Amino acid sequence: MKLSSMTGTAGEWLRGEGPHHQIVISSRVRLARNLRNRPFPGWAKKAERGSILDLIRPRVEDLPEMQDSFSESLQDLSALDRQVLVERHLISR
């Protein structure tokens, strides 16, 4: 799956199909976890956030649960792609 395939179609729940299509339940979970001896993102300087990302990204991408997923750097996305992700509640502003 790539980001372009997500932004090219409406969310599954917007299709309005199925026996209970008039009912929509949406939820999300936000998990925040700090790394030992590293500042939280809101307190970290830009260089520190970059080094933390460089440290954890390969480990997260190697997890078995992530094998059918993809990762993108937000700085590599267009403003429109970022807005779509915000509107679908996949990322925060």
Side-chain angles (χ1 to χ4, degrees), residues 5-67:
S5 67
M6 293 175 62
T7 58
T9 60
E12 184 73 29
W13 62 275
L14 288 174
R15 291 198 183 137
E17 300 173 353
H20 301 291
H21 68 275
Q22 70 277 16
I23 301 170
V24 174
I25 297 174
S26 176
S27 66
R28 62 184 176 159
V29 173
R30 212 172 150 184
L31 178 64
R33 176 79 168 108
N34 196 32
L35 300 173
R36 186 178 311 147
N37 300 321
R38 304 286 181 152
F40 277 96
W43 298 335
K45 294 183 172 105
K46 188 173 183 176
E48 291 172 312
R49 290 191 307 263
S51 69
I52 291 169
L53 179 59
D54 292 342
L55 174 72
I56 65 170
R57 188 177 199 167
R59 291 180 171 108
V60 170
E61 290 175 346
D62 285 343
L63 292 171
E65 295 86 358
M66 299 299 287
Q67 294 310 304

